[in-house]
């Protein structure tokens, strides 16, 4: 049975003092609380009736603290931002062997096949995203491009492009390393353009190493300023709440700035088709017809062109082992003749057989 302690009759302050004497810590605390709650509040404030004192305003107005003298030192102050202190390694025009090493070591799911080709993963996207591809509509392109109903060109404004560009560049700058490819488009030396591809994955760099034309060491030394630049930050999504965005994926082309930005998709084919679209814009200005076609040449010099949408057989027909292959997908037709825009072929491997397509079968080896 619990029995509550009864106060003695005639309870006085004397009894309370005697009780506190037996518990000095409580008496001290009670005294501290009373001092804080009843003392003057000049320069101090207590949020509770007891507890630590909080200093408001200039701490120098509080009680003085013992000062330990020290020798002053002069420290130079550098006027730099946080991003200026970050170093990103630029891996410039690496060889296939070096790109293989980077992919196998750092890109999950990458491995070398039995024929020596590099197999890898493109993330959630296994094909292009045409509904997420946009072109900046400005004073020039408003009259030069096809817009409106039935057009594949989806418009965006300059400001939104710059927002996405900033997002992509910031992401690439945050990485420990980026891959840079300086290459050409169009085998016609009089009408080729210089392209620079900045990407975050070895897979993307190897893909463009094969799809674009590789400069010689002398050409690379004097490459200069590119005519067009791709910022491929496909591992990082766009902001879905940005104007014009309909998903976390956005492929943006600015023909005025000669730039392309990729966000939210790691499918490498976006770079290939993006540059092809640029050639469709630039080449007709030079009185050159750009063609979505395969092309080969007979032993007598006769040239054949094969037109069709993607997946309809252009690569298969152009890789006839009885004729010379010029290209399988993108070409320019000028007064000087027909030239391939690309440096390699992009062949589908579904249901591929040695008997039906021996040239494509034999091309799947180291470096692809």
């Amino acid at each position: 049975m619990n029995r509550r302690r009864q106060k003695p009759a005639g309870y006085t302050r004397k009894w309370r003092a005697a009780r506190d004497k037996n518990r000095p810590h409580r008496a001290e605390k009670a005294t501290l609380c009373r001092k804080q709650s009843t003392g003057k509040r000049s320069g101090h404030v207590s949020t509770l009736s007891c507890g630590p004192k909080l200093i408001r305003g200039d701490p120098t107005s509080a009680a003085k603290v013992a000062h330990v003298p020290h020798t002053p030192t002069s420290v130079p102050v550098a006027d730099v931002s946080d991003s200026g202190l970050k170093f990103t390694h630029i891996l410039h025009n690496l060889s296939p062997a070096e790109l293989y090493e980077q992919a196998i070591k750092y890109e999950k799911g990458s491995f070398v096949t039995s024929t020596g080709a590099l197999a890898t993963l493109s993330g959630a996207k296994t094909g292009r995203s045409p509904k997420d591809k946009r072109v900046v509509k400005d004073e020039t392109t408003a009259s030069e491009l096809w817009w409106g109903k039935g057009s594949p060109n989806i418009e965006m404004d300059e400001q939104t492009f710059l927002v996405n560009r900033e997002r992509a560049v910031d992401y690439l700058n945050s990485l420990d390393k980026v891959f840079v490819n300086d290459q050409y488009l169009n085998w016609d030396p009089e009408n080729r353009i210089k392209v620079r591809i900045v990407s975050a994955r070895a897979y993307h760099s190897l893909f463009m190493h094969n799809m674009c034309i590789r400069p010689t060491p002398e050409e690379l030394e004097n490459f200069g300023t590119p005519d067009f630049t791709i910022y491929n930050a496909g591992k990082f999504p766009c902001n879905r709440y940005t104007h014009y965005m309909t998903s976390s994926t956005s492929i943006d082309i600015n023909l005025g700035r000669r730039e392309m930005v990729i966000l939210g998709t790691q499918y490498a084919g976006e770079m290939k088709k993006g540059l092809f679209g640029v050639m469709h814009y630039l080449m007709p200005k030079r009185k050159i017809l750009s063609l979505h076609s395969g092309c080969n040449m007979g032993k007598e010099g006769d040239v054949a062109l094969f037109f069709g949408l993607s997946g309809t057989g252009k690569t298969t027909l152009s890789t006839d082992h009885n004729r010379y292959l010029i290209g399988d997908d993108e070409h320019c037709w000028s007064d000087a003749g027909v030239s391939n825009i690309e440096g390699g072929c992009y062949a589908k491997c579904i249901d591929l057989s040695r008997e039906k397509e021996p040239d494509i079968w034999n091309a799947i080896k180291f470096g692809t």
Side-chain angles (χ1 to χ4, degrees):
M1 179 177 179
N2 295 328
R3 300 180 62 182
R4 296 183 62 184
R5 185 177 180 181
Q6 299 293 324
K7 296 180 181 179
Y11 172 70
T12 63
R13 291 182 180 272
K14 183 177 181 180
W15 181 90
R16 182 176 180 182
R19 181 194 62 182
D20 290 340
K21 184 177 181 180
N22 295 328
R23 289 179 287 182
H25 64 282
R26 182 168 179 175
E28 291 171 3
K29 183 176 181 181
T31 303
L32 177 62
C33 292
R34 286 195 295 274
K35 286 182 178 179
Q36 288 186 354
S37 60
T38 60
K40 295 183 179 180
R41 294 174 176 252
S42 175
H44 300 81
V45 64
S46 177
T47 56
L48 299 174
S49 60
C50 62
K53 297 179 180 179
L54 303 180
I55 298 176
R56 173 185 288 173
D58 186 2
T60 59
S61 64
K64 295 186 177 296
V65 180
H67 178 68
V68 179
H70 66 279
T71 303
T73 57
S74 176
V75 180
V77 178
D79 185 17
V80 296
S81 63
D82 289 343
S83 60
L85 299 174
K86 171 72 171 60
F87 291 95
T88 299
H89 297 281
I90 298 176
L91 305 181
H92 187 236
N93 279 48
L94 295 188
S95 66
E98 292 170 313
L99 292 170
Y100 266 53
E101 181 181 8
Q102 290 288 325
I104 294 169
K105 288 178 65 176
Y106 302 110
E107 297 180 12
K108 186 177 180 180
S110 299
F111 61 92
V112 180
T113 67
S114 59
T115 62
L118 177 69
T120 189
L121 300 173
S122 63
K125 303 283 186 177
T126 58
R128 293 191 299 114
S129 303
K131 293 184 178 180
D132 294 311
K133 188 173 184 178
R134 298 170 180 82
V135 181
V136 173
K137 186 176 183 180
D138 54 26
E139 293 181 357
T140 302
T141 57
S143 59
E144 292 183 339
L145 298 185
W146 174 27
W147 304 100
K149 185 178 180 180
S151 170
N153 299 317
I154 304 174
E155 70 176 85
M156 71 185 308
D157 59 31
E158 176 89 8
Q159 180 63 29
T160 305
F161 174 85
L162 292 176
V163 169
N164 283 351
R165 181 188 185 277
E166 186 84 353
R167 190 173 176 91
V169 171
D170 284 347
Y171 169 74
L172 292 169
N173 280 334
S174 73
L175 302 176
D176 291 331
K177 61 177 180 289
V178 295
F179 301 89
V180 176
N181 292 44
D182 284 340
Q183 297 181 254
Y184 296 112
L185 293 178
N186 196 356
W187 281 96
D188 179 359
E190 298 297 322
N191 293 291
R192 70 182 182 184
I193 67 170
K194 299 180 290 185
V195 294
R196 174 168 293 164
I197 303 100
V198 184
S199 58
R201 293 192 58 182
Y203 148 55
H204 292 150
S205 185
L206 180 63
F207 180 89
M208 298 308 284
H209 175 84
N210 285 326
M211 295 314 304
C212 296
I213 301 167
R214 304 162 201 162
T216 64
E218 293 76 18
E219 290 173 333
L220 190 59
E221 185 70 23
N222 301 300
F223 192 79
T225 304
D227 300 310
F228 198 86
T229 302
I230 295 178
Y231 298 103
N232 188 342
K235 294 181 70 176
F236 196 68
C238 70
N239 186 334
R240 294 182 295 109
Y241 297 100
T242 303
H243 192 39
Y244 294 101
M245 301 299 104
T246 55
S247 73
S248 60
T249 299
S250 190
I251 304 99
D252 310 327
I253 296 177
N254 190 326
L255 294 171
R257 292 178 61 95
R258 298 291 196 266
E259 291 179 339
M260 177 178 178
V261 170
I262 299 175
L263 290 164
T265 174
Q266 298 179 57
Y267 181 68
E270 295 289 4
M271 295 182 287
K272 165 186 162 65
K273 285 298 183 181
L275 290 177
F276 190 27
V278 171
M279 294 297 283
H280 279 319
Y281 175 75
L282 296 177
M283 292 299 104
K285 289 176 173 290
R286 304 184 186 188
K287 309 300 181 182
I288 298 172
L289 180 62
S290 54
L291 303 168
H292 186 200
S293 69
C295 183
N296 61 25
M297 184 177 68
K299 296 179 180 178
E300 302 298 324
D302 53 305
V303 175
L305 293 168
F306 305 92
F307 296 93
L309 299 175
S310 297
T312 56
K314 295 188 301 298
T315 301
T316 301
L317 293 173
S318 58
T319 54
D320 184 343
H321 62 277
N322 292 316
R323 296 173 64 85
Y324 299 112
L325 173 66
I326 295 178
D328 75 321
D329 196 51
E330 305 173 10
H331 294 88
C332 286
W333 191 348
S334 68
D335 292 337
V338 178
S339 60
N340 188 5
I341 292 176
E342 300 178 305
C345 295
Y346 188 29
K348 295 177 175 63
C349 297
I350 299 175
D351 298 326
L352 184 65
S353 67
R354 188 196 300 269
E355 293 74 26
K356 293 182 179 179
E357 299 169 279
D359 288 343
I360 299 176
W361 179 277
N362 293 329
I364 303 175
K365 54 188 179 182
F366 181 81
T368 61

